[in-house]
Amino acid sequence: MRTFDLTLLAGMLAGIFATVACAGGGATVPPPDAPAPSQPLAIETILQQSLPGQTGDTLRQVVRDQTAWAEFWSAFREGSSLSAEPPAVDFTKDMVMVAAMRTQSCVSRVTIRGVVQEGDGLVVDLLEAPPAPNCVCITSERPIHIVRLPKSDAAPRFVVERGQTPC
């Protein structure tokens, strides 16, 4: 009967396991027709707050030029304490994305958490957090989030997660 040297056997097994582990770790090349990988875009908040007493429905909008921005701001700020002049945006390189919830009975928040270029579109990660059921408030408010991001002609698709704002 033959006896094996345990040290030799252990070394052989370690070599086999290392070879198998390394074989699966190589980089794969996607096929030429594969979609481009998702690319997160840099976003910068222009305004995020709840406007007391403002009424309105859900709003999801992209503004791509100065004229549309001035018109949006003028209509949006009506009845609020926001400045008459819209925040400055260089529309030669940037655009504006707006998300607002319909008027809420109490404390609430909407947040554009991120925007990703995916293929020929934009995927917008949006969190809507209405008030918790136990909240009691004196005035209603409309939450809004406005961000600046690099200019794109791509159409946005909003992916909405529902949360809750505690009192």
Side-chain angles (χ1 to χ4, degrees), residues 10-35:
M12 288 172 49
L13 287 174
I16 291 170
F17 286 127
T19 302
V20 169
C22 289
T28 59
V29 177
D33 60 342

Side-chain angles (χ1 to χ4, degrees), residues 44-48 69 73 87-89 95-96 145-148:
E44 176 188 347
T45 294
I46 293 175
L47 174 72
Q48 184 176 27
W69 178 229
W73 189 262
V89 176
M95 65 183 188
V96 171
H145 193 190
I146 302 174
V147 298
R148 172 189 352 253

Side-chain angles (χ1 to χ4, degrees), residues 7-75:
T7 307
L8 178 62
L9 181 60
M12 288 172 49
L13 287 174
I16 291 170
F17 286 127
T19 302
V20 169
C22 289
T28 59
V29 177
D33 60 342
S38 301
Q39 297 178 5
L41 301 177
I43 61 173
E44 176 188 347
T45 294
I46 293 175
L47 174 72
Q48 184 176 27
Q49 69 182 70
S50 289
L51 301 171
Q54 189 184 62
T55 60
D57 289 325
T58 298
L59 177 64
R60 296 183 183 133
Q61 183 174 344
V62 175
V63 181
R64 292 186 167 92
D65 64 67
Q66 187 62 47
T67 302
W69 178 229
E71 289 171 2
F72 166 81
W73 189 262
S74 177

